[in-house]
């Protein structure tokens, strides 16, 4: 079966991945904010702790993290698929490598959840370090992604 996509459809496919990833980058920053609130709640005392608990930051952080896990993995696969559909190959460079790193890190970070729920501090510290690394890679990914989009627009 040979499925041929129209040139116009293939062109517009180029922009689905970057738009999705910008939303996920913003969502990652929000997840980091929630994670800091969780940490602050954990370390608070007395009335401050009671007030922070009402924010349910731990539940929100876990929910946003689950959404990020699913959509970051799907987004990275989707980005590679669109590149392959449009070019017949993948371009090995900083953007692809950072994306693969992000995908791996989000999976490892999420895998630490059961250990953190059981109170393992090593898992919590590792989770935090992995996620700040993820944010750094994601920022780099955004820069290299904008460069790719500029090339696509220039060559259109």
């Amino acid at each position: 079966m040979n499925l041929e996509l129209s040139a116009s459809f293939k062109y517009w496919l180029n922009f689905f991945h970057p738009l999705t990833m910008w939303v996920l980058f913003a969502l990652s920053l929000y997840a980091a904010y929630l994670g800091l609130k969780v940490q602050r709640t954990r370390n608070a005392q007395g009335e401050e702790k009671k007030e922070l608990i009402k924010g349910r930051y731990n539940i929100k952080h876990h929910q946003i993290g689950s959404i990020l896990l699913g959509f970051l993995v799907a987004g990275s696969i989707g980005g590679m698929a669109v590149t392959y559909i449009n070019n017949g190959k993948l371009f090995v460079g900083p953007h692809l490598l950072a994306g693969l790193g992000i995908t791996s890190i989000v999976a490892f970070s999420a895998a630490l959840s059961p250990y953190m729920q059981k109170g393992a501090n090593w898992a919590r510290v590792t989770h935090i370090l992995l996620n700040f690394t993820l944010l750094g890679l994601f920022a780099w990914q955004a820069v290299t992604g904008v460069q790719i989009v500029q090339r696509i627009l220039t060559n259109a």
Side-chain angles (χ1 to χ4, degrees):
M1 179 175 160
N2 188 11
L3 177 66
E4 186 60 34
L5 302 173
S6 73
S8 175
F9 184 73
K10 287 168 77 171
Y11 174 76
W12 289 106
L13 265 180
N14 285 310
F15 303 104
F16 184 75
H17 172 74
L19 291 173
T20 302
M21 293 318 241
W22 274 102
V23 169
L24 293 175
F25 183 44
L27 201 56
S28 296
L29 293 171
Y30 180 60
Y33 164 79
L34 291 172
L36 292 172
K37 287 290 204 177
V38 169
Q39 194 67 18
R40 186 170 169 211
T41 302
R42 182 172 283 107
N43 295 327
Q45 305 275 329
E47 279 305 310
E48 181 188 18
K49 186 166 189 142
K50 287 180 187 176
E51 259 330 285
L52 287 168
I53 288 172
K54 290 178 188 175
R56 298 169 40 112
Y57 300 114
N58 59 338
I59 293 167
K60 292 175 186 174
H61 180 71
H62 190 267
Q63 290 170 337
I64 296 295
S66 295
I67 290 167
L68 282 169
L69 172 63
F71 282 100
L72 279 172
V73 171
S76 67
I77 292 168
M80 289 184 287
V82 169
T83 300
Y84 190 81
I85 287 167
N86 285 332
N87 303 286
K89 64 180 179 178
L90 294 178
F91 300 100
V92 178
H95 190 76
L96 176 64
L97 297 175
L100 292 172
I102 290 167
T103 304
S104 299
I105 289 171
V106 75
F108 280 115
S109 182
L112 293 170
S113 247
Y115 300 101
M116 290 185 291
Q117 289 170 346
K118 290 182 180 175
N121 201 47
W122 67 266
R124 190 167 287 113
V125 170
T126 304
H127 177 81
I128 292 166
L129 290 172
L130 284 172
N131 287 335
F132 276 102
T133 303
L134 184 144
L135 284 175
L137 279 175
F138 219 152
W140 177 248
Q141 183 81 351
V143 170
T144 59
V146 167
Q147 293 168 349
I148 292 167
V149 168
Q150 287 173 333
R151 267 198 311 270
I152 291 167
L153 291 171
T154 302
N155 295 335

